[in-house]
Amino acid sequence: MGTIDGLPPLRDVIRDHDLVARKALGQNFLLDLNLTAKIARAAGDLSAHDVLEVGPGPGGLTRGLLAEGARRVLAVEKDARCLPALTEIAAAYPGRLAVINGDALAVDVTAHLTPPIRIVANLPYNVGTELLIRWLTPAVWPPFWQSLTLMFQREVAERIVAKPRTDHYGRLALLAQWRAEARIVMTLPPEAFTPAPKVHSAVVHLTALPAPRYPADGAILQRITAMAFNQRRKMLRSSLKGMGADIEARLVAAGIPPTARAEEIGLEAFCALARSYD
Ligand code: SAM
């Protein structure tokens, strides 16, 4: 049976290039090109966008992005073994795929991309959260990207979209939802990957807001939420003692009961508290 793009099936690519998955690199590959095309579609219209893909591996998602019409894809892959397979894809889509062999945490990708930019990736689990936090905390807002469509372990995805008074609510939810719209668009069972990981996965789609949802200084907001959620079961008047002796009065002024716990407080109230330190 033919593939969506006339290139060999991914199982053959992996066999021919001897791409045995390496756990240390978080390698769990997607081999179903219909599924990777579906993930690419979840990113929205790609025809007018440059796309950054982190960790293309043998290229399943890369092929999905190109088949779905991405204007250009820049793929950053740490594992040099994958380069020949990616070169074959680049040849099938002339001028539309550039590959950098390197660590996505170390490469300055912005020099290679033209806005508007979408980021789409089946992230290696070991660096996924670190990359997300970087993309959410640039020096200036709006950021270089317009949207992020990212595969995470389902538990991490739930932490990104969580609302107050739920188990997964915490710093990551506040950070993501302060300046982006975040939703889970797909969940995948372990069997969708080769090799199958132990946990379920989910794709989160985040759209950058033009400005933060509520005004606040990012560094102060992060300091407050770190302190509050480090002792999430404690009352805020005690977990936030480090913010100063007058914390109780500041909480009251921000409309937060000093006896409340971090997990009960929404983004708007945390931003009001952060503004009291401006
Ligand atoms: N995109 C492919 C797919 O969906 O089948 C592979 C996804 S696999 C979960 C993660 C990929 O990220 C692997 O190819 C791995 O080699 C690569 N990777 C791991 N750490 C990386 C890093 N720091 N920078 C760039 N790529 C990395």
Side-chain angles (χ1 to χ4, degrees):
M1 208 175 72
T3 53
I4 52 173
D5 50 16
L7 286 160
L10 283 153
R11 274 186 203 291
D12 295 358
V13 173
I14 285 173
R15 186 198 57 218
D16 295 346
H17 295 285
D18 199 16
L19 297 177
V20 179
R22 294 207 173 134
K23 208 172 170 185
L25 286 168
Q27 292 185 336
N28 300 99
F29 300 133
L30 290 167
L31 303 189
D32 178 350
L33 288 165
N34 293 314
L35 184 57
T36 61
K38 195 172 160 194
I39 296 168
R41 286 196 294 278
D45 180 31
L46 299 174
S47 59
H49 288 75
D50 275 11
V51 177
L52 168 65
E53 186 194 1
V54 173
L61 182 54
T62 321
R63 288 165 63 174
L65 292 165
L66 290 162
E68 289 301 317
R71 177 175 72 189
R72 268 187 79 238
V73 176
L74 173 68
V76 182
E77 173 56 61
K78 194 171 175 181
D79 186 353
R81 295 180 308 153
C82 299
L83 298 186
L86 296 168
T87 303
E88 283 168 17
I89 303 171
Y93 290 95
R96 289 175 58 201
L97 173 61
V99 180
I100 295 179
N101 181 206
D103 182 342
L105 292 167
V107 173
D108 175 18
V109 291
T110 52
H112 304 269
L113 295 160
T114 308
I117 295 159
R118 295 194 192 279
I119 302 179
V120 186
N122 173 15
L123 289 173
Y125 287 148
N126 42 0
V127 291
T129 315
E130 188 174 346
L131 279 169
L132 174 66
I133 290 173
R134 276 194 194 192
W135 290 328
L136 289 171
T137 53
V140 288
W141 197 270
F144 74 90
W145 52 269
Q146 206 174 67
S147 69
L148 310 173
T149 308
L150 306 172
M151 180 91 68
F152 290 100
Q153 301 179 51
R154 188 167 65 184
E155 198 247 328
V156 176
E158 282 169 356
R159 280 170 45 209
I160 296 167
V161 304
K163 298 293 174 205
R165 296 172 190 276
T166 63
D167 287 348
H168 294 288
Y169 184 58
R171 291 174 66 188
L172 197 55
L174 286 159
L175 184 63
Q177 295 169 38
W178 181 42
R179 297 196 283 197
E181 185 76 53
R183 61 200 163 86
I184 292 179
V185 290
M186 210 183 289
T187 52
L188 290 91
E191 313 80 75
F193 302 85
T194 303
K198 288 199 176 67
V199 292
H200 279 66
S201 299
V203 178
V204 185
H205 183 73
L206 298 109
T207 313
L209 297 173
R213 217 176 277 276
Y214 308 105
D217 177 275
I220 297 173
L221 183 62
Q222 284 207 60
R223 189 153 159 244
I224 290 174
T225 55
M227 236 182 248
F229 283 95
N230 274 348
Q231 298 178 297
R232 59 188 291 144
R233 308 262 169 238
K234 276 203 175 168
M235 293 179 190
L236 287 166
R237 67 175 176 208
S238 119
S239 59
L240 289 180
K241 262 200 182 121
M243 291 303 295
D246 57 351
I247 185 61
E248 197 146 343
R250 285 179 189 268
L251 285 164
V252 172
I256 303 172
T259 52
R261 283 146 176 92
E263 59 200 17
E264 300 165 42
I265 304 305
L267 177 60
E268 188 171 6
F270 273 120
C271 289
L273 181 61
R275 281 198 301 279
S276 82
Y277 291 91
D278 278 352

